[in-house]
Each structure stands twice: as C-alpha cells, then as structure tokens.
Amino acid sequence: MNGLQRAVLWALGLLERYRYIKFGIVGASGTVVNLAVLHFGHEFLFNEIESGYNKPYFSLVLAIALATLNNFTWNRLWTWSDRVKTLEAGEAQPVNLRVLSREFGQYVTASAFGSGMQYVLTLLLSGSMDYRLANIIAIVAASVSNFLANDRWTFKRHRD
C-alpha cells in the first residue's frame, strides 16, 4: 500500500468518525425528545393509566416513536446528507416520496432491534433505579447497533 492509498484510507476513517459524532449529536437530540416525552407522558398524559404500575409502558412507546422520527429526520438531513443527495440526484420529484418512504421503513426496521433493547432494558432497570436514568443507560446501549445498521443499510454508499 503506497502513501496515497494510506492517506485516502485515513481520510475515509476520519470521515466515518466524524459521521459517528454527527450521529451522536442527533442521538443526543433524540434523547432530549425521548426524555421530555417520557416524563410528560408518565407524569401527565398517561398518569391515570400508569400510576398504578409505576412503570412507563405507554409513555415509553410514545417517547421511542417520537425520538425515532426526530432522529430519522436529522440523520437524513445532516448525518448522511451526502449519501441522500447522491441517491436522489438523478431522480424525478415524485420518486423522492418513494425514496423517503423506503428510507424511513429501513430506518425504522434497522432501529427496531435497538428500540426493543431500549424498551426491555429500561423496564428491567427501572425496577432498581429511576426510570429516567434507566432509559438513558438503555439508549446508550442501543446506539452502536443503530449506527452500524443505518450506516450499512439505510444510508449505505451507492456504487456506480
């Protein structure tokens, strides 16, 4: 491997690390959305339903759904914007809705495992700690699998 090839591989690695940082920032915004919705839902919106169980069943489902929508939107617009623009470059406007629907479906599918892991871990951990802290720990555990799945499938590089 010559010096130029090493430099290109190093630059690509740096770009991927930068992309993961962007993914992390988007994930942090999703965490804020998740925690805000979880708290609002558990303390106010679903208070009558969830107060007897002391666990955030319905609130957690709503929090995960809205955080997923937030994260998909920002990851598409920012984290993987270079790949999205490449994909849509030669397509007509009506096709964009089809592309967006397919990407969202793939994003949701790719994130389903992480969301399931987050849900189960939050419920398990909330028996021994505050449900908000349990949720943060579960989100961190799920983030790595979500990044890899979305980087390799939802927003994969398209070769000519």
Side-chain angles (χ1 to χ4, degrees), residues 1 4 10 20 32 34 40 47-48 67 80 84 86 93 105 107 115-116 131-132 144 152 156:
M1 184 179 296
L4 178 60
W10 178 82
Y20 188 74
V32 170
N34 187 298
F40 179 77
N47 187 30
E48 293 299 317
W80 284 284
V84 171
T86 301
Q93 194 67 346
Y107 187 88
S115 294
Y131 69 92
R132 290 166 285 234
V144 173
R152 303 292 189 259
K156 68 182 176 187

Side-chain angles (χ1 to χ4, degrees), residues 24-55:
I25 292 168
V26 169
S29 78
T31 301
V32 170
V33 169
N34 187 298
L35 290 172
V37 172
L38 179 65
H39 177 75
F40 179 77
H42 189 66
E43 300 298 328
F44 303 105
L45 188 62
F46 300 113
N47 187 30
E48 293 299 317
I49 300 170
E50 294 181 344
S51 63
Y53 300 111
N54 200 27
K55 290 201 178 190

Side-chain angles (χ1 to χ4, degrees), residues 37-87:
V37 172
L38 179 65
H39 177 75
F40 179 77
H42 189 66
E43 300 298 328
F44 303 105
L45 188 62
F46 300 113
N47 187 30
E48 293 299 317
I49 300 170
E50 294 181 344
S51 63
Y53 300 111
N54 200 27
K55 290 201 178 190
Y57 295 105
F58 299 107
S59 302
L60 189 54
V61 169
L62 182 61
I64 290 170
L66 292 179
T68 299
L69 184 58
N70 173 81
N71 290 359
F72 169 75
T73 302
W74 287 112
N75 278 319
R76 188 174 197 281
L77 293 173
W78 187 46
T79 308
W80 284 284
S81 63
D82 58 320
R83 295 181 188 177
V84 171
K85 289 176 186 170
T86 301
L87 178 64

